[in-house]
Amino acid sequence: MHIQIDDKDFNLLIEYDQIKKRTRLIGIQLNVDYDNRVPVFVGVLNGSFVFLADLLKEVTISSEVTFVKVSSYDGDKNTGVIKKQVGLQMDLKDRDVIIVEDIVDSGATLRYIIDMIREQNPASVCVCTLLLKPKSLKEDIEEITYVGFEIPDEFVVGYGLDYKGLGRNLKDIYRAQYVPSET
Ligand code: IMP
Ligand code: MG
């Protein structure tokens, strides 16, 4: 399947059915790992909202949800400058925190969020990300515990992820078609 968003072409990478199966397994694992605890899921906006919604439907243990919002991307370019748009709205002292991300690319965003959360002295911090680009990862982040899929170092959209704000509503995940550079 091939689609176009704005000026870019994309090909199907991961079907929703696969995402659903993987999400169910992660949910089961979380139910076991956090049995008898009441973790707080911290969703990283905007991208994680679709994954977080599906994930929470698989979580049966008692839990709370809050959000933070940061941005570093302009279109499909990572600017490297992280801006906090919405800070933590909840006291995380002594809480078990599960950060939920759509994708970990360089890891800079995650590092920033982990540092922000650790300032509040939570009991524990782990990261659950739907996608991980291992080749792009520049930080050693030991908190990354749950990973949906490892993907190639390519720009992806769909299932919450956007290109220029578009494509978040796509059910499946698509990768940008390789275009040889003009130079
Ligand atoms: P990092 O700071 O380089 O790890 O970038 C992480 C953030 O950039 C993610 O939370 C996404 O919002 C965004 N991002 C990274 N890669 C992609 C991509 O391939 N498609 C869409 N957004 C992405
Ligand atoms: Mg994000």
Side-chain angles (χ1 to χ4, degrees), residues 5 14 16 19 44-54 73 101-103 130-131 155-174:
I5 300 174
I14 308 170
Y16 179 59
I19 300 173
V44 183
L45 294 171
N46 289 330
S48 74
F49 76 104
V50 180
F51 175 48
L52 182 58
D54 279 349
Y73 260 68
E101 260 286 25
D102 50 355
I103 187 165
L130 176 65
L131 304 173
F155 190 77
V156 292
V157 293
Y159 198 71
L161 292 129
D162 74 302
Y163 172 54
K164 296 187 177 175
L166 302 170
R168 295 192 195 276
N169 53 317
L170 293 164
K171 224 171 168 179
D172 310 300
I173 294 173
Y174 295 78

Side-chain angles (χ1 to χ4, degrees), residues 19-182:
I19 300 173
K20 223 163 55 183
K21 284 185 189 138
R22 191 72 192 99
T23 303
R24 176 163 301 153
L25 289 178
I26 294 173
I28 290 169
Q29 191 66 52
L30 287 168
N31 292 332
V32 172
D33 293 352
Y34 287 85
D35 189 27
N36 293 320
R37 288 192 273 173
V38 184
V40 182
F41 289 89
V42 178
V44 183
L45 294 171
N46 289 330
S48 74
F49 76 104
V50 180
F51 175 48
L52 182 58
D54 279 349
L55 181 66
L56 284 182
K57 288 176 226 160
E58 307 294 344
V59 171
T60 52
I61 51 166
S62 181
S63 56
E64 290 181 67
V65 185
T66 189
F67 292 93
V68 290
K69 180 169 180 175
V70 296
S71 65
S72 64
Y73 260 68
D74 180 16
D76 62 347
K77 304 278 176 302
N78 193 335
T79 61
V81 182
I82 298 157
K83 288 190 205 136
K84 191 198 294 182
Q85 314 274 5
V86 179
L88 278 165
Q89 311 285 308
M90 212 174 137
D91 183 11
L92 298 177
K93 186 169 161 42
D94 299 329
R95 301 299 303 267
D96 293 299
V97 174
I98 303 169
I99 301 169
V100 179
E101 260 286 25
D102 50 355
I103 187 165
V104 178
D105 184 18
S106 69
T109 304
L110 199 51
R111 180 86 274 155
Y112 180 92
I113 291 165
I114 290 171
D115 290 350
M116 184 165 95
I117 287 172
R118 287 230 182 262
E119 274 176 24
Q120 294 203 0
N121 296 317
S124 69
V125 180
C126 86
V127 175
C128 173
T129 184
L130 176 65
L131 304 173
L132 175 72
K133 295 181 188 171
K135 287 221 170 77
S136 317
L137 197 60
K138 293 193 188 77
E139 312 255 345
D140 184 17
I141 304 179
E142 60 182 17
E143 289 90 347
I144 301 175
T145 312
Y146 310 91
V147 177
F149 303 90
E150 294 195 352
I151 61 165
D153 189 5
E154 290 166 316
F155 190 77
V156 292
V157 293
Y159 198 71
L161 292 129
D162 74 302
Y163 172 54
K164 296 187 177 175
L166 302 170
R168 295 192 195 276
N169 53 317
L170 293 164
K171 224 171 168 179
D172 310 300
I173 294 173
Y174 295 78
R175 70 163 142 201
Q177 242 174 38
Y178 172 68
V179 182
S181 74
E182 285 160 29

